[in-house]
Amino acid sequence: DAGVTQSPTHLIKTRGQHVTLRCSPISGHKSVSWYQQVLGQGPQFIFQYYEKEERGRGNFPDRFSARQFPNYSSELNVNALLLGDSALYLCASSLIQSHNNSPLHFGNGTRLTVT
Amino acid sequence: TQLLEQSPQFLSIQEGENLTVYCNSSSVFSSLQWYRQEPGEGPVLLVTVVTGGEVKKLKRLTFQFGDARKDSSLHITAAQPGDTGLYLCAGGRSSGSRLTFGEGTQLTVNP
C-alpha cells in the first residue's frame, strides 16, 4: 500500500513568490495535517483538515492557507514567501480526526528553499 | 503555549552502550508519542502512551509516561548503529490531531 505522498520533493523559490505543496493521504484516511519543520527543530503544527473542513490552525500568518479536496488530498499554499519560510513541510494523514485513536502517518516532506 | 523540552539535544555514543532521552513539559497531555526521523524522511511513529505511569517496550526500546502525564522517557539498551536518527517526542490533547513536538534528540551510535 502506498504511504503518504508529497510533491514536489524539493522546491526553490525567491522572496515574494507563492508556492503550492501537494499531499495525497493513505487510501481511506480522511484527516490530513500539515507541519513545518525548520532545520534543527521539531515539526510545528500548521493546519488540520478532516472531511474537507479545517479543524485546527496553528500559529502561522494568513499567508499560509490550505484546503482538502473530495478525494481527501490536500494543498498547502504560502503567499509572499519570506526567507524564514525555508523548511521541510510535512503532511500527515490519519483515519479519523483524533490522534489518540488513529496514529499519524507522515510523508517524506517537501523541502522548500526561499532565496 | 504548550512546550515540550527534550534532553539531551545531541547524543553520540558507542555501539553497545545504553542511553536515555527525556521529554518534559509543564502541561498535561492526553497522550505522548515518540517518533524517529531519518534524513530526507518524515517522522515514523514508534509508540503512543496514554496512561500515567505506563511503560511500553519495543525490542530494545523502553518508553515510559510520567504519572502526571507531563513527561516521558525513552531508554535504549545496547544501542546499535541502526538506532542512529532524530528522536522526537510529541504530545497531544484528547481531541483533534494537533501534536506539539519537542525539538528532538539527535542520536549517533558509532560502530
Side-chain angles (χ1 to χ4, degrees):
Chain A
D1 288 342
V4 176
T5 57
Q6 293 186 242
S7 62
T9 56
H10 296 81
L11 199 53
I12 299 175
K13 291 284 190 178
T14 56
R15 280 176 296 177
Q17 287 187 316
H18 72 272
V19 68
T20 298
L21 309 181
R22 295 177 176 82
C23 172
S24 292
I26 291 173
S27 178
H29 284 195
K30 298 182 178 181
S31 175
V32 170
S33 299
W34 288 94
Y35 287 79
Q36 179 197 65
Q37 187 175 23
V38 174
L39 193 62
Q41 297 183 17
Q44 297 290 315
F45 174 79
I46 310 175
F47 287 111
Q48 187 211 359
Y49 277 78
Y50 178 68
E51 288 286 12
K52 302 179 287 294
E53 292 187 4
E54 182 182 303
R55 301 300 180 115
R57 173 186 284 257
N59 189 25
F60 280 82
D62 292 343
R63 300 184 295 108
F64 288 76
S65 63
R67 55 180 176 168
Q68 187 177 34
F69 298 99
N71 67 353
Y72 302 108
S73 66
S74 178
E75 285 183 352
L76 175 69
N77 296 283
V78 187
N79 293 325
L81 285 167
L82 303 174
L83 294 179
D85 294 332
S86 296
L88 179 68
Y89 288 85
L90 294 162
C91 174
S93 75
S94 59
L95 273 171
I96 59 176
Q97 182 178 352
S98 173
H99 62 82
N100 273 357
N101 301 312
S102 179
L104 291 183
H105 298 263
F106 283 88
N108 287 334
T110 292
R111 172 69 64 187
L112 173 64
T113 302
V114 182
T115 62
Chain B
T1 302
Q2 297 175 305
L3 292 175
L4 277 171
E5 296 183 354
Q6 284 188 240
S7 62
Q9 189 176 358
F10 298 96
L11 191 55
S12 181
I13 61 172
Q14 294 301 122
E15 183 175 1
E17 292 183 356
N18 302 330
L19 67 112
T20 301
V21 176
Y22 299 94
C23 177
N24 296 298
S25 174
S26 58
S27 300
V28 175
F29 291 99
S30 63
S31 71
L32 204 296
Q33 301 179 2
W34 285 91
Y35 292 81
R36 181 171 143 218
Q37 185 177 21
E38 299 194 42
E41 299 182 7
V44 175
L45 180 66
L46 297 174
V47 77
T48 300
V49 286
V50 297
T51 305
E54 182 176 3
V55 177
K56 280 191 174 179
K57 293 190 175 183
L58 184 64
K59 296 184 180 178
R60 296 176 292 101
L61 279 60
T62 301
F63 306 85
Q64 185 164 8
F65 201 11
D67 291 341
R69 292 188 289 143
K70 292 182 179 181
D71 55 85
S72 181
S73 64
L74 158 60
H75 182 79
I76 301 179
T77 303
Q80 300 177 0
D83 295 327
T84 294
L86 178 68
Y87 288 83
L88 295 158
C89 66
R93 287 202 173 276
S94 56
S95 62
S97 184
R98 176 190 308 225
L99 290 177
T100 299
F101 279 85
E103 293 193 349
T105 294
Q106 181 62 54
L107 171 66
T108 303
V109 182
N110 302 298

